[in-house]
Amino acid sequence: MHSGRIFKNSYYLPFKSKCLSNVNNQLAEQSYHLHYFLLGTSHPFAENEIHLIEYNDQSCTVRNVEIFDHKEEVKHLVCLDMCGKGDAKGKDILVCTSVVVSGDVGRTSQLPVNAGGLEYRCFLHRGSLNNFDEEEFAAGEETDPGMEQMDEANQANQANQANQASRNLDDPGGEENGPAKSMTNELMNDKGAKQKSMSRGKGKAALDKLCELKTDQPYVGIKNIAVEEHEGEFRRIAVIDKYRYDIFGRSQSDMDFVTSKNMNHELNYGIFDPHHENILTVISDTNVYGYDTKNDVEIFSTFANHKADLSSLDFNPNIPNVIVTSSNDGYVKFWDLRFLTDAFLTVNIHSHWVTSIHFNNFHDELLLSTSSDNTVKLHKIDYPAKLNLKKKDTNYQLLKTYSDHEESVYQGRWSKTDAWVFASLSYDGKCVVNSVPTEEKYRILL
């Protein structure tokens, strides 16, 4: 659990979590130094929450914008859009979540449940942002609420110790002062108190369920939610289930079912190809498969030759056909889909499982990785001017290791509105927002 350290660039959830999403911000008048992320809690026996947080890269502080009530345990979370309402008097956020509920408690679906008695479902939600007041925070509210909480606790503790020292050790009043001192220590170490300070006592906002993404077959274990975007707006959503994927397309007023494909192997993760329409790439065990979803055919596959199961993959945003795979063996491998006989770069980047891997959205030489070794790492891949991936002429460099977490880091995400800001989330509910080192920014830009 937490060591009690509080940083200005940190945010704490009340429950454990593995759900982190960057925010596709479509606000017309948006400050360039503000960045938004969504966090979802995963508590099987409590009412869960989805938190929208804002990071100010000028003051390096994080604040809570809104807390949404979400009854079910959040397993996966993707922010599809954040935009102004039609009447220009408010702001809305569009979210897709996958949840798991007991097949016996609070069940509303008529679909059968899996062998474990659990029901997996996927929903689209819309929420209104009632506390979205960026001007007040940007104008100079640079004090982190968690730091204020710690300062107050330190002052109370120091005053308590001074008062205790002035008393005689035999004074019975010294015993009465013990509970007060204990309460001060609890305040300093209680994560719930820190979270209450960060949320500023706001009430929870409601999420409206717009529709459920489902077919005639029940989900048996949703692995992730993949989104295909075009010019900054989402077009299709793929629900990657344990033994199949379902794809839903966006229409003017609803989400329409497009296609589904059953598999003979268990899937771990899936992602759309940003360079080629209708191509979905999935991983299973130590294999990578590519499918043309329009014609329902497999177009490529390869054995990734990792020593453990694959955990994630991502496409290079600027160079077509280049992907990176990560594995529980601590390695990442870079592939050219045109030459799948061997990876053109293999690097051991972590001492334990690699839980996520992401190319930078703007500068493809930057790579972000998270791991169950409690670290977040920033990497740089140098591609030569005349790129020939078949000759494997690429160079790797570890730029920085971030050790802000005390537990396994399960998610990392780049900001969608800035090339240099990224967030990471560990299992204990701690989210940390960091930036690419300044000297590295200048090396890339100049």
Side-chain angles (χ1 to χ4, degrees):
M1 297 302 293
H2 293 299
S3 64
R5 296 180 297 169
I6 304 179
F7 302 96
K8 292 181 67 177
N9 61 334
S10 300
Y11 185 86
Y12 296 86
L13 290 172
F15 306 127
K16 294 184 177 181
S17 173
K18 295 181 181 179
C19 301
L20 168 67
S21 173
N22 47 18
V23 174
N24 190 12
N25 191 348
Q26 299 292 330
L27 298 178
E29 298 179 359
Q30 175 58 44
S31 300
Y32 69 92
H33 60 279
L34 299 180
H35 316 276
Y36 299 92
F37 298 92
L38 268 185
L39 314 170
T41 64
S42 303
H43 197 300
F45 307 111
E47 293 187 358
N48 288 276
E49 302 170 351
I50 294 177
H51 292 228
L52 175 65
I53 63 172
E54 175 188 271
Y55 174 70
N56 187 326
D57 63 20
Q58 292 183 344
S59 59
C60 298
T61 51
V62 180
R63 71 149 182 156
N64 171 269
V65 176
E66 197 74 74
I67 299 177
F68 295 100
D69 188 23
H70 193 281
K71 303 296 183 183
E72 301 91 353
E73 178 184 359
V74 184
K75 302 300 290 184
H76 302 94
L77 171 69
V78 177
C79 178
L80 302 174
D81 198 4
M82 185 171 71
C83 58
K85 293 183 178 179
D87 56 9
K89 294 183 180 179
K91 300 176 179 66
D92 280 343
I93 191 166
L94 188 62
V95 182
C96 183
T97 63
S98 72
V99 303
V100 57
V101 296
S102 171
D104 300 324
V105 180
R107 187 177 179 215
T108 59
S109 172
Q110 299 301 316
L111 294 174
V113 298
N114 65 5
L118 300 177
E119 183 180 3
Y120 292 84
R121 306 173 70 183
C122 189
F123 296 97
L124 249 64
H125 305 268
R126 180 179 60 202
S128 296
L129 303 177
N130 302 317
N131 299 309
F132 199 100
D133 187 7
E134 66 181 31
E135 295 180 359
E136 176 185 354
F137 185 67
E141 187 183 333
E142 300 184 358
T143 303
D144 179 31
M147 295 299 293
E148 293 176 356
Q149 182 80 15
M150 181 64 83
D151 291 341
E152 292 175 1
N154 284 334
Q155 292 174 5
N157 191 31
Q158 291 173 2
N160 187 28
Q161 291 177 352
N163 188 28
Q164 178 70 15
S166 65
R167 296 185 178 186
N168 189 289
L169 293 177
D170 296 330
D171 187 358
E175 296 180 0
E176 296 177 359
N177 198 40
K181 186 173 182 179
S182 176
M183 290 178 62
T184 302
N185 291 333
E186 290 178 3
L187 180 64
M188 294 175 63
N189 296 310
D190 183 69
K191 184 173 66 173
K194 290 183 285 187
Q195 177 58 40
K196 183 177 180 181
S197 173
M198 289 188 174
S199 63
R200 302 171 184 268
K202 298 174 183 175
K204 296 181 183 179
L207 277 176
D208 299 326
K209 288 183 179 179
L210 299 180
C211 63
E212 181 175 0
L213 304 182
K214 63 179 181 178
T215 63
D216 294 336
Q217 300 182 48
Y219 294 118
V220 296
I222 297 177
K223 298 298 184 176
N224 80 296
I225 302 171
V227 179
E228 182 183 48
E229 296 183 348
H230 179 68
E231 296 181 353
E233 295 185 354
F234 81 96
R235 292 196 305 182
R236 296 191 299 172
I237 297 175
V239 181
I240 311 298
D241 198 32
K242 192 173 183 179
Y243 293 106
R244 81 173 195 272
Y245 64 76
D246 296 335
I247 297 181
F248 302 85
R250 181 180 184 178
S251 62
Q252 291 185 350
S253 59
D254 202 355
M255 293 295 297
D256 301 324
F257 173 74
V258 176
T259 186
S260 179
K261 186 175 182 62
N262 294 313
M263 304 289 181
N264 296 323
H265 40 264
E266 181 177 340
L267 303 181
N268 298 335
Y269 190 82
I271 186 174
F272 282 104
D273 185 341
H275 304 286
H276 303 95
E277 191 176 1
N278 300 316
I279 303 301
L280 180 70
T281 303
V282 298
I283 54 177
S284 173
D285 297 329
T286 56
N287 297 281
V288 182
Y289 301 91
Y291 294 95
D292 182 343
T293 60
K294 184 177 181 180
N295 299 308
D296 193 25
V297 294
E298 179 184 304
I299 57 176
F300 67 83
S301 65
T302 186
F303 171 61
N305 200 24
H306 281 277
K307 298 178 182 178
D309 287 350
L310 295 173
S311 57
S312 183
L313 83 156
D314 197 20
F315 275 86
N316 188 304
N318 298 328
I319 305 177
N321 302 312
V322 173
I323 66 171
V324 58
T325 58
S326 65
S327 170
N328 292 339
D329 60 5
Y331 283 78
V332 294
K333 294 190 176 187
F334 295 80
W335 304 83
D336 186 342
L337 296 180
R338 299 166 297 178
F339 310 104
L340 284 174
T341 55
D342 192 14
F344 66 84
L345 180 63
T346 300
V347 186
N348 184 5
I349 61 173
H350 285 283
S351 60
H352 209 252
W353 302 344
V354 183
T355 52
S356 72
I357 193 82
H358 294 283
F359 281 106
N360 186 283
N361 302 319
F362 303 92
H363 303 286
D364 57 1
E365 60 263 53
L366 294 177
L367 189 74
L368 181 69
S369 67
T370 61
S371 172
S372 53
D373 63 8
N374 304 353
T375 64
V376 179
K377 293 188 178 182
L378 182 64
H379 318 266
K380 185 177 182 181
I381 312 299
D382 289 324
Y383 303 97
K386 294 183 179 180
L387 181 62
N388 189 339
L389 299 178
K390 197 172 183 179
K391 293 183 178 180
K392 304 182 180 182
D393 48 357
T394 52
N395 297 316
Y396 165 81
Q397 179 185 2
L398 174 63
L399 295 181
K400 188 173 182 179
T401 299
Y402 299 85
S403 303
D404 303 316
H405 296 277
E406 291 90 34
E407 286 200 17
S408 298
V409 188
Y410 277 95
Q411 289 289 342
R413 288 289 187 273
W414 291 99
S415 169
K416 282 199 172 183
T417 57
D418 187 272
W420 315 114
V421 175
F422 58 90
S424 56
L425 177 68
S426 53
Y427 187 53
D428 54 7
K430 180 180 180 180
C431 178
V432 182
V433 186
N434 282 300
S435 299
V436 176
T438 303
E439 59 273 15
E440 193 57 42
K441 296 181 188 178
Y442 290 130
R443 290 193 187 100
I444 294 175
L445 295 175
L446 300 179

